[in-house]
Each structure stands twice: as C-alpha cells, then as structure tokens.
Amino acid sequence: MTMIELIEKKKQNISLTQEEISYIIQEYIKGNIPDYQISALLMAIYFNGMTDDEVYYLTQEMLNSGEVVDLSEIKGIKCDKHSTGGVGDKTSLVVGPLASALGVKIAKMSGRGLGHTGGTLDKLEAIPGFQIEISSEDFLKQVNDIGIAIIGQSKNIVPADKKLYALRDVTGTVDSIPLIASSIMSKKLASGADHIVLDVKVGSGAFMKDINSAIELSKLMVSLGKKAGKDVVATITDMSQPLGFAIGNALEVIEAIETLKGHGPKDFQTLCTELTIEILLVCKNASSYDEAKKLVEKAISEGLGLAKLQAMIAYQHGDSRVVDDYSFLPLATQTIDLEYKHDKDVYVESINALKIGEAAMLLGAGRATLEDKIDFAVGVVLHKKVGDKITKGDVLATVYTNGKNTDEAIEMILDAYIMSNQKVNTKNIIIKTIK
Ligand code: URA
C-alpha cells in the first residue's frame, strides 16, 4: 500500500481498514510519511469524517504509539477527569481534591494551556515551588500516601498525538470530531485510570460551538472508552461565557480555593459539585445521586477537599500557605476596573469567552506557542456575567496587569460584553450527561 492510495481512498469517502490505519500511524511516527501527505489525509478526514471502527482503530494505534501508564500499584479505584478545554476552567483544582477526599484515587496527568484556553499545569505552577515533574515511582507513592497527585504528562505518552496535533493546529483540522475524540481518548486510555469522567465544553469558548456536535463528540468518546473496557461518562457543560469569574493562573487558583471553601461563583461551584458526583457514581463510591450530592456538600462544608488540596500542594513542594493567605501567590502590579459609563440600564446578553481568553493571553496569562513564558499574576476577574443588570458606574471586570498589552486587552474585554435592553435568561451550566 502507498500513502497516495490511502489519501485517494479517504478522499472518495471509502473507509480505511485497521491495517491501513496502523500503517499510516506507524510510518508517520517513524518519519517515513511526510507532513504534507498526512495533512492531505487529515483534510479528507475533516470533510468525510470516519466510521466508528476507523476512529477506534486510530485511537488504539495512537495509544500504542507510546507508553501506557500502569497504575496497578495504586490501591483503590483510580479515576481521571478531563475537560475538552475552555476559558476560566480551573475545575481539576477543585474536583480532584473533592473526589480524593471522598475516597477516589486521583492520579492525574494534566496539560499546559495553549492559545485562549488555560491549562491545569500552568495554574498549579502559579503556586510558588509547586513541582509538576515527578518520577513515576514518586507519583505512585504520592497517590498511595495522600490519594491525589496532579503532574505533567509523561513525554512518552501518545507521541503520535503530539505530532498529529501540531500538524492539525497549522492545517485547520483541529475541530474534527473523530480527530478530537481519538486524540483525547488515546491519551486518557494511556494514562491508566479505571474510570474516566469527561467534561465536554460547548459554546463560544470551546472547540464544540453547538450542542449537536458536543453530543456527537461525547457519544463517540464514551463508546471508545467502553470498547477499551473503561467506564466513561461525559457531561456536556456550557462554555458560552467564561467559567466562574477569574481568568488567569494565580487568580484561578484563588477562585478554586474559594470554591473548596464553599464561596465559589455559582456556575463554577455547581459544575464542580456535579462532576464530583459523576466521579463518585462511576467509581461506585456512592450508590445514588442524592447520596453522592450529600457527600460532596459535606466535603466542602467540613473543608475536606481544601485539606486535600493543601496536602497535595505541600507534597509537591509548593507553598501551601497560599490556601490561607493569597498574598503568597504572584500579584500583579496594577489593577484596573472597567466601568460601565452609560446612563441607560442594560443586561448582559453574552460574554464572548474566546475574546476574554485572548485578552488574558495578551496580558501574558497564556501562550501563543509552547515556548512562550507565562506571567502567573495577570488576568481578568469578571464581576458581571450573563443575565446581570448593569447600571452606570458598575464595574464589569477588573484587569490585573503588569503592563503588557493592557490597552488592547481592555478593548477586547469590553468588546466581549454584549448588552441587551431586555432581561436575559441564563443557561444552566450542566447541559446533558452521556453514559
Ligand atoms: N484536546 C485534545 O487533547 N485533543 C484535541 O484534539 C482537542 C482537544
């Protein structure tokens, strides 16, 4: 078989066989197929899609392109939680400690942020001293000792995805449902957890812009997980506006801590509670939704989740005083309140999450390329969200800046707010759960 025959085949919307998909992935990672041929294939997949069998073969082949983590030395049920990415998404910092406090083992490998979306590792690194590079022995030991570790993804996990994702990023083929499903699920399956809870974001700040695509992606990922013998649940959640109030690394750490103290923004607090409930149910640490909900509420009110976060920070060499005193986190030199200056009262109709994420990136909170250095202190805190009434003098948002691109960022934030003269209905953060 030759690569050109396979491109022709996919172009004519004829399914590729398992053998053909193996050939493509294996030869590509060996460097025997050039990027331009894989690019052509990716574009054919983008337009023609893939059958469920093709996606399964692709996922398995990618998974087997590198190391598969063995978590069998960790006693108890191991669960992984994954978000498809969004703006202000600090969920792992809350859900991981809560689930761990309730008996689930969290051995999590997270990623860095790129573009407008943030990454859990960057948020954790905003905590002075926090180490994300830990040997596999220490990782397993930590989870056995305290029930939770969040570390950087091993370099050897799914090398095929690293190559393919980089190519997709520059060929306009990221937002293809079969390619996203195989990319995410190959990494989740390689990370070794028994159960997986997926948070599939939908809306302006997410890869999936509409609910039907989010449902299709969720169903596909759940079925890929099940075929591989894992219990997988996907919760589709709203990303039509940023999640919570804070966007920016240290600011999001503060918001996560506040949420573990029970003082989080309503949308974020609800999301964290519901995802932890799903984890408890899928891991059978609770037998009903009501029981799981009571357990999560208790873990928050008694500070059990907060204590877990503090223990994890201390174990990973971070300054755990941040939990009680935010002045130990990096602070921006300047804060600027963005006021609503018009006489007419209005309501917030929408907040473009993508624009807010890009504004935070301009300030230095995110990176345009993986090599860019992040400023942990900077970002945006929204004070008004969709549905809120605004009158003259109200502060819409506060910008935390160290002077980089401040004016452009402010313009972008103001641009992201769309106002309405009429009252606006709010959306539920949890849209649908697919099991
Ligand atoms: N996240 C991933 O890991 N892969 C994708 O393709 C999209 C989001």
Side-chain angles (χ1 to χ4, degrees):
M1 91 186 76
T2 65
M3 191 58 201
I4 186 142
E5 284 163 3
L6 300 179
I7 296 170
E8 281 292 345
K9 202 172 164 186
K10 197 66 219 170
K11 187 176 84 179
Q12 289 161 30
N13 205 7
I14 303 168
S15 302
L16 299 174
T17 64
Q18 181 169 12
E19 195 196 355
E20 288 164 341
I21 289 175
S22 295
Y23 165 82
I24 293 166
I25 297 300
Q26 289 181 17
E27 294 305 311
Y28 181 51
I29 52 175
K30 279 189 222 151
N32 295 338
I33 301 176
D35 280 352
Y36 54 80
Q37 284 190 309
I38 297 293
S39 305
L41 180 77
L42 290 171
M43 194 53 87
I45 292 173
Y46 180 89
F47 282 113
N48 287 331
M50 288 182 119
T51 64
D52 287 357
D53 279 346
E54 283 178 294
V55 187
Y56 179 68
Y57 300 143
L58 177 60
T59 306
Q60 287 297 321
E61 203 54 55
M62 289 184 26
L63 160 69
N64 292 325
S65 70
E67 176 193 347
V68 177
V69 177
D70 178 6
L71 298 180
S72 59
E73 272 182 38
I74 298 173
K75 295 171 218 75
I77 296 173
K78 282 108 2 190
C79 191
D80 200 353
K81 173 247 144 208
H82 180 84
S83 154
T84 56
V87 176
D89 188 358
K90 64 279 290 162
T91 315
S92 294
L93 302 189
V94 177
V95 169
L98 281 176
S100 165
L102 294 167
V104 176
K105 293 289 160 61
I106 303 290
K108 185 161 173 49
M109 293 184 184
S110 284
R112 297 199 177 279
L114 189 59
H116 70 282
T117 60
T120 301
L121 289 187
D122 301 318
K123 296 169 206 201
L124 286 168
E125 282 186 332
I127 301 168
F130 195 95
Q131 297 294 315
I132 51 102
E133 278 186 31
I134 286 179
S135 71
S136 354
E137 298 78 50
D138 289 349
F139 176 54
L140 300 178
K141 181 172 180 324
Q142 180 176 337
V143 183
N144 272 329
D145 285 353
I146 63 163
I148 181 168
I150 305 181
I151 64 165
Q153 190 172 288
S154 148
K155 293 193 176 48
N156 305 325
I157 284 199
V158 194
D161 182 62
K162 291 198 180 75
K163 249 187 121 170
L164 279 176
Y165 195 91
L167 194 57
R168 285 167 59 205
D169 209 21
V170 292
T171 54
T173 50
V174 167
D175 55 341
S176 145
I177 288 176
L179 296 178
I180 294 177
S182 52
S183 162
I184 291 178
M185 289 310 291
S186 58
K187 286 177 289 197
K188 289 296 106 185
L189 296 172
S191 302
D194 305 315
H195 306 298
I196 302 162
V197 171
L198 301 165
D199 177 6
V200 178
K201 304 284 186 201
V202 60
S204 63
F207 284 118
M208 296 295 106
K209 306 285 182 218
D210 65 273
I211 181 69
N212 289 337
S213 313
I215 292 175
E216 194 183 331
L217 176 64
S218 301
K219 285 188 173 160
L220 187 53
M221 291 197 290
V222 168
S223 90
L224 285 170
K226 285 192 175 152
K227 273 191 197 157
K230 309 274 179 182
D231 262 333
V232 185
V233 176
T235 300
I236 300 174
T237 69
D238 183 46
M239 187 38 78
S240 62
Q241 62 175 333
L243 183 58
F245 296 130
I247 301 99
N249 299 285
L251 297 168
E252 291 188 49
V253 170
I254 296 173
E255 190 161 274
I257 294 170
E258 284 297 311
T259 305
L260 284 167
K261 291 177 179 170
H263 309 137
K266 189 167 165 285
D267 60 344
F268 183 56
Q269 192 94 40
T270 306
L271 175 67
C272 292
T273 300
E274 294 298 320
L275 289 176
T276 313
I277 291 171
E278 289 304 337
I279 292 179
L280 295 183
L281 290 174
V282 79
C283 294
K284 309 216 169 20
N285 281 36
S287 52
S288 69
Y289 178 89
D290 289 346
E291 185 198 344
K293 190 159 191 217
K294 279 200 187 109
L295 287 169
V296 177
E297 284 167 355
K298 185 167 173 272
I300 294 172
S301 65
E302 293 184 1
L304 309 178
L306 186 68
K308 266 297 169 202
L309 177 69
Q310 193 161 28
M312 179 178 83
I313 295 172
Y315 210 114
Q316 291 183 234
H317 310 287
D319 187 341
S320 62
R321 291 174 298 177
V322 298
V323 165
D324 301 309
D325 184 346
Y326 302 140
S327 70
F328 289 108
L329 286 164
L331 300 169
T333 51
Q334 202 189 352
T335 57
I336 302 167
D337 285 341
L338 307 185
E339 257 181 47
Y340 179 71
K341 294 196 173 120
H342 305 277
D343 290 325
K344 196 173 181 346
D345 289 358
V346 286
Y347 296 85
V348 181
E349 184 178 311
S350 64
I351 306 172
N352 187 313
L354 181 63
K355 282 192 182 159
I356 299 284
E358 282 171 358
M361 191 173 106
L362 278 177
L363 293 166
R367 48 172 83 76
T369 75
L370 271 174
E371 288 71 41
D372 288 352
K373 249 184 114 46
I374 279 187
D375 182 345
F376 295 121
V378 301
V380 187
V381 173
L382 309 178
H383 301 290
K384 298 292 176 187
K385 300 249 329 215
V386 171
D388 287 346
K389 187 178 179 185
I390 315 286
T391 42
K392 190 173 181 174
D394 281 348
V395 176
L396 296 176
T398 302
V399 174
Y400 289 71
T401 176
N402 282 330
K404 187 175 165 193
N405 302 323
T406 308
D407 292 343
E408 292 98 309
I410 290 176
E411 201 175 312
M412 211 170 237
I413 295 162
L414 293 174
D415 222 34
Y417 272 90
I418 305 293
M419 306 300 188
S420 162
N421 293 327
Q422 270 110 46
K423 271 195 170 174
V424 174
N425 291 329
T426 53
K427 285 187 188 157
N428 285 337
I429 187 81
I430 307 288
I431 298 173
K432 199 177 172 69
T433 297
I434 310 258
K435 300 196 178 190

